């Protein structure tokens, strides 16, 4: 899949504006690299538009150059938009979903408290091998993926669940537990796995039945990592929200759903009933 020309144009615009800010600051590329602990080639590649800088890279440069508030805000928006489009393009090109899983694994390893809300699918960290294989075998959104590699990488991520230094809070809707991924045996096995994982001391599993009144519509799933960032994934996009206002909003929404969910023995009884219906 070819990268759209508009993406190259926006990246070139970001590069040019960052280069001009450096010139105004009076610093050389070599000096910028020294102050930020980067290689000089990294500064050069960002300023020539050869690479898409991360949001953190752009913020570091802006902290150094200290532009006017409006300019900073505009560049942060442009950087965030580019980052989202870049991740989306990579997803569309299907470059090794097993590698994507390992990237997520590295992020999760540095996350002490992970909150996950899912309205339509069992979260990856809780999926059985059979369920994960079914997820990675979908005919359209998973087309071209090596399902076995992706499944194995996802299962490897789950070792983190058994590390007491990490805490997890999942809230899953009844819809996510009823959508069929794989056959009846796969769904029965998945219900059993959820029940077993819910007994871990560092895992809190909440289920949101259809007959419970909820204060918000469950529009999409999201992960909240240590109150510092929110990951939101669509069919072809993966957004990472770091603005404190966005994080606070998602924390509030998560708590609303968490307060309406059922837990522990009540949740396990609910899973047992679902397993009977799937069988």
């Amino acid at each position: 899949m070819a990268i759209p020309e508009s993406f190259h144009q926006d990246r070139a615009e970001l590069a040019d504006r960052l280069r001009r800010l450096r010139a105004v600051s009076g610093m050389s590329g070599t000096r910028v690299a020294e102050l930020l602990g980067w290689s000089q080639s990294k500064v050069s590649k960002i300023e020539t538009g050869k690479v898409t800088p991360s949001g953190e890279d752009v913020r570091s440069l802006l902290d150094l150059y200290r532009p006017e508030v409006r300019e900073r805000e505009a560049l942060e928006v442009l950087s965030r938009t580019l980052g989202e489009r870049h991740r989306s393009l990579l997803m569309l090109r299907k470059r090794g979903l097993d590698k994507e899983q390992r990237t997520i694994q590295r992020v999760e390893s540095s996350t002490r408290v992970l909150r996950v809300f899912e309205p339509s699918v069992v979260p990856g960290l809780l999926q059985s091998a059979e369920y994960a294989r079914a997820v990675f075998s979908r005919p359209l959104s998973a087309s071209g993926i090596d399902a076995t590699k992706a499944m194995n990488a996802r299962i490897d991520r789950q070792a983190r669940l058994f590390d007491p230094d990490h805490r997890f809070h999942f809230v899953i809707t009844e819809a996510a537990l009823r959508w069929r991924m794989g056959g009846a045996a796969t769904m029965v096995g998945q219900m059993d796995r959820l029940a077993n994982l819910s007994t871990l001391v560092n895992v809190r599993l909440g289920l949101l039945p259809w007959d419970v009144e909820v204060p918000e519509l469950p529009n999409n799933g999201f992960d909240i990592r240590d109150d510092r960032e929110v990951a939101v994934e669509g069919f072809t996009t993966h957004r990472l929200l770091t603005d404190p206002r966005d994080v606070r909003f998602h924390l509030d929404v998560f708590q609303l759903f968490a307060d309406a969910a059922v837990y522990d023995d009540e949740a396990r009884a609910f899973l047992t009933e679902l397993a009977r219906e799937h069988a």
Side-chain angles (χ1 to χ4, degrees):
M1 177 182 177
I3 297 177
E5 182 59 31
S6 60
F7 177 84
H8 290 297
Q9 291 172 350
D10 287 346
R11 188 165 66 182
E13 179 187 349
L14 177 63
D16 182 61
R17 291 168 74 172
L18 288 173
R19 184 172 58 252
R20 281 188 278 130
L21 283 176
R22 178 181 59 75
V24 170
S25 75
M27 286 183 279
S28 67
T30 301
R31 181 56 178 160
V32 170
E34 289 175 355
L35 291 172
L36 296 180
W38 295 354
S39 66
Q40 198 280 328
S41 65
K42 177 174 179 175
V43 178
S44 176
K45 287 177 181 178
I46 289 174
E47 291 191 352
T48 55
K50 292 181 179 178
V51 299
T52 304
S54 68
E56 183 178 352
D57 288 344
V58 172
R59 286 191 293 273
S60 295
L61 290 169
L62 295 177
D63 287 343
L64 200 60
Y65 301 151
R66 297 183 180 180
E68 293 183 356
V69 173
R70 282 189 185 179
E71 176 72 354
R72 180 179 184 118
E73 290 177 348
L75 287 173
E76 286 183 340
V77 169
L78 179 56
S79 168
R80 194 157 51 242
T81 302
L82 274 173
E84 291 168 3
R85 291 176 67 193
H86 188 243
R87 285 188 290 273
S88 300
L89 288 166
L90 291 179
M91 288 181 69
L92 284 170
R93 293 167 79 172
K94 304 298 182 185
R95 288 187 173 176
L97 199 55
D98 57 314
K99 294 180 181 178
E100 174 71 13
Q101 290 296 304
R102 305 212 186 277
T103 298
I104 295 172
Q105 184 177 21
R106 287 193 295 273
V107 173
E108 289 172 345
S109 68
S110 63
T111 300
R112 294 299 174 182
V113 180
L114 179 65
R115 299 173 181 88
V116 178
F117 173 70
E118 268 299 346
S120 58
V121 66
V122 173
L125 281 172
L126 304 179
Q127 291 176 6
S128 68
E130 295 78 10
Y131 187 99
R133 183 185 293 278
V135 168
F136 290 126
S137 299
R138 290 167 294 168
L140 180 59
S141 55
S143 175
I145 290 173
D146 186 321
T148 299
K149 281 188 176 180
M151 176 197 71
N152 288 335
R154 174 158 288 180
I155 298 305
D156 286 346
R157 283 172 52 205
Q158 297 177 1
R160 196 68 51 193
L161 293 171
F162 302 94
D163 183 344
D165 290 334
H166 296 261
R167 292 189 290 119
F168 303 87
H169 189 171
F170 300 93
V171 177
I172 313 171
T173 70
E174 181 174 344
L177 303 175
R178 287 188 176 277
W179 287 115
R180 285 271 177 130
M181 279 289 170
T186 295
M187 293 305 296
V188 171
Q190 181 61 70
M191 298 305 107
D192 183 62
R193 177 162 179 77
L194 289 172
N196 288 332
L197 291 174
S198 73
T199 64
L200 295 175
V201 294
N202 60 326
V203 173
R204 192 165 187 231
L205 176 61
L207 307 181
L208 204 57
W210 278 336
D211 60 1
V212 171
E213 185 174 350
V214 291
E216 281 288 343
L217 291 175
N219 291 327
N220 57 266
F222 54 87
D223 296 1
I224 307 175
R225 301 162 179 162
D226 284 337
D227 300 1
R228 59 184 164 81
E229 63 184 25
V230 181
V232 183
E233 187 170 317
F235 279 105
T236 61
T237 58
H238 184 94
R239 302 183 65 197
L240 196 62
L241 309 177
T242 56
D243 187 308
R245 293 167 295 183
D246 289 328
V247 175
R248 182 73 258 167
F249 176 83
H250 283 82
L251 281 167
D252 291 342
V253 171
F254 182 87
Q255 194 59 52
L256 289 175
F257 289 135
D259 289 343
V262 298
Y263 294 86
D264 303 320
D265 289 343
E266 189 175 358
R268 286 186 282 274
F270 187 63
L271 289 167
T272 298
E273 182 57 33
L274 284 174
R276 291 196 191 99
E277 294 182 24
H278 279 299

